[in-house]
Amino acid sequence: MTDGATGSTGSRSRRHGRAGRDMRAASLVGLGLGAIVLSTLFLFKPAFVGLVVIVMVVAVWELATALGARSVAVPVVPVVLGTVLMLVGAYLGGGSPLMVGLGLTVAAVSAWRLGDSRPGYLRDVSAGIFTSVYVPFLAGFAMLMVRHDDGAWWVFALLVVVVASDTGGLLAGVLAGRHPMAPSVSPKKSWEGFAGSVVLGVGVAVPVAVYAFDAPWWTGVVLGVTGVIGATLGDLGESLIKRDLGIKDMSQLLPGHGGLMDRLDSLLPTAPLVWFVLEYIVT
């Protein structure tokens, strides 16, 4: 029995490695998700918008469930309705509907909780507003990107820079990570990993800027560095949330990844930064 348990533990350890994940499962799931996202993005934009809406609704549910485990009751119904309103509005009408949708969602969250006599009104409304901003509002910037004529390439730039940042950080961190960046928040994130993120993020962003947008190479450097900073802060931010909640993953929905929010942590805060760089510098 001891040998069997040891063998099982050793097998899991080899499979997970220093990254702390089942990398085989994570890679397969990541490739599958990437294929779905890119196919809808480049073949039929409305399908991509629908996919984003579904993903963000699930992400809202994940975050609300995690907060609920700590007795924080997010008003899920108005947040979900606001998610659809913000994302579809941003795609169809641009930035103004996105902002109006956020305002209406905040008002709806505040009004919805008035009907509940339980204590903690300010806590729950604050959590609902935070969820509305953190998930659908930030995702709305991807909708602002995709509505452009070449919007598929805008979103592609966001995705590949964030993926490159995560991949470069993981590889450099596993191979050479020695100096923790924020040990109390995310012990495995190192400055060496951040350097790997910058190298690979910029290395991917430069050819995207040059060949997809016919822009000078240095705009790719700006795009890459900005994307890496956003992805890193997003990763640290979600790690801080999970530390406060006392959880490792937001859910177990995706094998090797945790929950959808565990995959969106880098993308969501990076979306408005990349949108700004593409809108005002690259294109």
Side-chain angles (χ1 to χ4, degrees), residues 85-86 89-104 137 144 147:
L85 179 63
M86 279 186 270
Y91 175 66
L92 295 177
S96 294
L98 176 62
M99 295 300 300
V100 172
L102 177 61
L104 292 175
F137 178 72
L144 297 183
R147 69 190 307 268

Side-chain angles (χ1 to χ4, degrees), residues 9-34:
T9 303
S11 175
R12 286 195 301 269
S13 177
R14 287 190 298 271
R15 191 166 64 247
H16 291 198
R18 289 182 60 186
R21 298 280 183 185
D22 185 338
M23 297 309 295
R24 181 184 303 172
S27 299
L28 291 174
V29 170
L31 289 173
L33 291 175

Side-chain angles (χ1 to χ4, degrees), residues 85-261:
L85 179 63
M86 279 186 270
L87 295 177
V88 175
Y91 175 66
L92 295 177
S96 294
L98 176 62
M99 295 300 300
V100 172
L102 177 61
L104 292 175
T105 304
V106 170
V109 166
S110 304
W112 185 274
R113 186 59 174 79
L114 285 173
D116 193 332
S117 60
R118 292 177 300 172
Y121 174 84
L122 182 60
R123 175 200 62 201
D124 295 346
V125 169
S126 298
I129 294 173
F130 169 76
T131 302
S132 302
V133 173
Y134 185 30
V135 182
F137 178 72
L138 293 181
F141 285 88
M143 299 296 95
L144 297 183
M145 295 183 201
V146 78
R147 69 190 307 268
H148 283 264
D149 291 338
D150 57 347
W153 287 106
W154 284 48
V155 177
F156 178 78
L158 167 66
L159 295 174
V160 296
V161 169
V162 170
V163 170
S165 175
D166 288 348
T167 303
L170 175 64
L171 293 176
V174 168
L175 295 175
R178 297 293 184 273
H179 300 87
M181 178 178 287
S184 63
V185 177
S186 182
K188 292 182 179 179
K189 186 167 288 294
S190 65
W191 286 107
E192 290 83 1
F194 179 73
S197 293
V198 172
V199 170
L200 194 56
V202 171
V204 165
V206 169
V208 168
V210 172
Y211 294 107
F213 304 116
D214 195 26
W217 66 269
W218 62 267
T219 62
V221 175
V222 175
L223 175 63
V225 171
T226 302
V228 168
I229 291 173
T232 302
L233 292 177
D235 187 27
L236 289 173
E238 203 212 18
S239 295
L240 185 59
I241 294 171
K242 291 191 290 188
R243 189 195 68 172
D244 285 351
L245 296 176
I247 58 176
K248 182 178 184 293
D249 295 316
M250 285 294 181
S251 76
Q252 299 302 319
L253 184 63
L254 302 176
H257 289 268
L260 282 174
M261 280 301 299

